[in-house]
Amino acid sequence: MNFVQPIRDIDKIRDVRKTLQDNPRDELLFCFGIYTGLRISDILRLKVGDVRHKQVLFIKELKVQKKKQNKTKRIPILKELQKVLIPYIEDKEDQEYLFKSRQGKNKPITRVRAYAILRAAALANGLNEIGTHTLRKTFGYHVYQDEKDVALLQDIFNHSAPYITLKYIGVNQDAIDQAYQKLNKRLKF
């Protein structure tokens, strides 16, 4: 399993989104992950009726690990997300999957397809270490940069410890990278 990073640079987020703009479904997938912080498995099972005319999304998160409980989360549908969402769902039926596959009648895209979409857009913009968790990690990273409240993110992500949350969103990696750079400057011989 590859370890993926958040997209730390806002301009890179814009660049990836711009790359995806030719396909409204793929652009929405990217924006949905960045603006909600949901797991890709939770995003892919959404239907149009789950979001139409709503300001808030109530979602029962799937169990990912035995220790994680199924919890209902209340996720605001931010105005920036609505700008992409509303035109996209305008001509769609409520029972359609939001991220509908072109294969079959009414099935969502797979995790593998979501990964391929995100990976291709990221690579086109010079980003490596990207995967489906990048969306969730990017959300967390930027919330942390604004709020500096690890307990808040720990609750959002259902993590058991602050250290896990900081590691997950890449903040610990940033500190590690800085420590190596300082050492590099200090130990010139």
Side-chain angles (χ1 to χ4, degrees), residues 10 20 30 49 57 60 71 85 100 102 107 149 172 175:
I10 297 290
L20 294 167
F30 180 74
L57 173 65
K60 190 166 191 171
K71 293 183 179 180
L85 178 65
K100 189 174 162 182
R102 294 184 186 113
K107 294 184 178 186
D149 187 348
N172 283 7

Side-chain angles (χ1 to χ4, degrees), residues 125-141:
N125 288 283
L127 295 170
N128 296 310
E129 299 180 285
I130 300 296
T132 55
H133 273 281
T134 295
L135 303 178
R136 186 169 164 88
K137 289 181 178 198
T138 299
F139 164 87
Y141 181 84

Side-chain angles (χ1 to χ4, degrees), residues 17-172:
R17 180 179 175 186
K18 188 172 183 176
T19 300
L20 294 167
Q21 283 179 335
D22 289 341
N23 186 321
R25 179 199 67 192
D26 297 350
E27 179 187 12
L28 179 61
L29 175 68
F30 180 74
C31 291
F32 212 96
I34 298 286
Y35 284 119
T36 66
L38 290 171
R39 290 182 185 89
I40 197 72
S41 56
D42 293 319
I43 292 170
L44 294 180
R45 65 187 175 100
L46 290 172
K47 293 190 174 182
V48 172
D50 295 328
V51 295
R52 188 186 306 277
H53 305 301
K54 297 192 177 156
Q55 306 296 312
V56 175
L57 173 65
F58 290 94
I59 187 161
K60 190 166 191 171
E61 291 185 311
L62 297 174
K63 270 188 188 176
V64 176
Q65 298 172 354
K66 290 179 184 175
K67 63 184 176 182
K68 295 211 181 205
Q69 303 167 345
N70 283 351
K71 293 183 179 180
T72 300
K73 291 290 213 176
R74 181 186 181 279
I75 311 290
I77 302 174
L78 302 176
K79 288 182 181 174
E80 287 300 313
L81 178 56
Q82 288 178 9
K83 288 179 186 177
V84 182
L85 178 65
I86 291 170
Y88 176 77
I89 63 172
E90 190 173 52
D91 61 345
K92 297 189 181 350
E93 300 292 326
D94 282 355
Q95 73 277 5
E96 284 184 62
Y97 279 97
L98 196 55
F99 303 102
K100 189 174 162 182
S101 171
R102 294 184 186 113
Q103 311 295 323
K105 290 189 176 189
N106 186 27
K107 294 184 178 186
I109 62 172
T110 65
R111 278 182 73 100
V112 172
R113 181 65 187 131
Y115 171 81
I117 291 164
L118 298 171
R119 182 98 176 130
L123 289 174
N125 288 283
L127 295 170
N128 296 310
E129 299 180 285
I130 300 296
T132 55
H133 273 281
T134 295
L135 303 178
R136 186 169 164 88
K137 289 181 178 198
T138 299
F139 164 87
Y141 181 84
H142 289 282
V143 167
Y144 182 78
Q145 294 305 316
D146 286 345
E147 302 297 326
K148 300 292 189 217
D149 187 348
V150 71
L152 172 69
L153 281 172
Q154 186 181 340
D155 187 43
I156 290 170
F157 289 151
N158 292 327
H159 288 163
S160 59
Y163 172 77
I164 292 169
T165 301
L166 292 172
K167 184 175 181 181
Y168 183 77
I169 63 173
V171 171
N172 283 7

